[in-house]
Amino acid sequence: MTKQSLSDAFEEYGRVWLRNAVSEDDLTLFDRAASISAKAGQRLDGSTALDAALSEESSVVCAVRRLVPKALPVRVIAFNKSDNANWGVPWHQDRVIAVTEKADVAEYKNWSHKSGTWHCEPPESILAEMLFVRVHLDDTDDSNGAMEIAIGSHAAGVFPSESAERVAKTYPIETCSAKRGDVLILKMLTLHASKPAKMKSGRRVLRLDFSTSQLPSPLSWHSPFTKT
């Protein structure tokens, strides 16, 4: 697929699959970075492995920049659906970003403090340009709780959480079956959900948020990189 057709498909459907896009070396680095406890989701702070896996030359960053050349990683969350943490999530949009500190800035709202980091909901204009990238560290399908997405639902914009399931069902639903090393790039406002796994099997996924925007001062992204 050419860059232009890839971009056109992304704008129309709100998602693009890049199969076998992560090098074995980078997968090994992500494995090290994602050695997490049994939680539904854990934000990863900078580490030597994560820094290397998200370097300018890394396979994931290069893959994302085929689509959005100026995109930068701004948050990383590790998920490990296992016997000890086998959850389901109803239809929803992700509308929260991680920032370095809380500040009174117009249109930045719904503040929360989680695991030592400030989070908030930014204006729709920020969310609309962000990417939600899934790096699959294990094979996944319906049997072990693969994510479901509502194709094209990013175009609906932001809407009340209680409307999520109703809106999702007006779009085609795709089960995100993937192999280790596959990358799924989504528009941030795409509706998604997942069911608990039906079988005993680990399902590790890294979710990487990318953005091309700088936040208004004094706000700044809570960087996933090691501070130097």
Side-chain angles (χ1 to χ4, degrees):
M1 185 179 289
T2 67
K3 182 177 179 180
Q4 184 58 45
S5 59
L6 192 71
S7 179
D8 290 344
F10 187 53
E11 291 303 317
E12 180 177 357
Y13 301 115
R15 70 94 174 87
V16 165
W17 280 101
L18 301 177
R19 301 293 184 178
N20 194 30
V22 187
S23 70
E24 282 300 325
D25 287 346
D26 286 351
L27 284 171
T28 299
L29 291 170
F30 280 129
D31 286 338
R32 286 168 49 195
S35 298
I36 62 173
S37 58
K39 293 185 178 181
Q42 180 172 321
R43 184 179 55 80
L44 299 185
D45 289 318
S47 64
T48 301
L50 192 60
D51 287 356
L54 295 178
S55 70
E56 293 288 312
E57 300 78 25
S58 70
S59 52
V60 170
V61 171
C62 289
V64 171
R65 286 183 177 167
R66 285 175 55 195
L67 203 58
V68 182
K70 295 182 179 180
L72 293 171
V74 295
R75 183 169 67 155
V76 181
I77 303 174
F79 293 92
N80 186 7
K81 191 173 286 190
S82 65
D83 293 348
N84 296 324
N86 185 17
W87 68 91
V89 182
W91 287 102
H92 67 286
Q93 294 174 305
D94 287 322
R95 304 201 300 254
V96 173
I97 62 172
V99 297
T100 55
E101 61 183 36
K102 184 178 181 181
D104 185 12
V105 176
E107 298 187 82
Y108 287 76
K109 58 187 180 180
N110 298 332
W111 288 88
S112 62
H113 198 246
K114 305 173 186 176
S115 302
T117 300
W118 282 105
H119 296 76
C120 66
E121 182 177 334
E124 184 174 343
S125 59
I126 295 290
L127 295 170
E129 62 79 23
M130 290 182 68
L131 306 178
F132 165 10
V133 179
R134 303 260 296 182
V135 177
H136 298 83
L137 301 183
D138 295 310
D139 294 356
T140 181
D141 56 26
D142 183 60
S143 68
N144 63 355
M147 188 174 72
E148 296 177 309
I149 57 176
I151 302 295
S153 59
H154 65 287
V158 173
F159 48 82
S161 298
E162 58 268 23
S163 302
E165 183 174 359
R166 175 182 59 78
V167 175
K169 289 182 177 179
T170 66
Y171 293 91
I173 304 301
E174 176 181 322
T175 298
C176 298
S177 298
K179 297 292 186 182
R180 175 174 166 84
D182 288 350
V183 173
L184 173 61
I185 304 177
L186 291 161
K187 295 277 190 178
M188 181 63 77
L189 290 175
T190 299
L191 281 160
H192 56 287
S194 70
K195 299 172 183 175
K198 301 174 184 176
M199 59 180 288
K200 293 183 177 181
S201 173
R203 191 220 67 175
R204 296 172 303 145
V205 177
L206 288 184
R207 172 222 169 108
L208 285 64
D209 291 354
F210 280 76
S211 177
T212 60
S213 297
Q214 293 297 317
L215 300 179
S217 180
L219 293 177
S220 60
W221 299 104
H222 190 289
S223 174
F225 295 106
T226 302
K227 305 296 188 295
T228 56

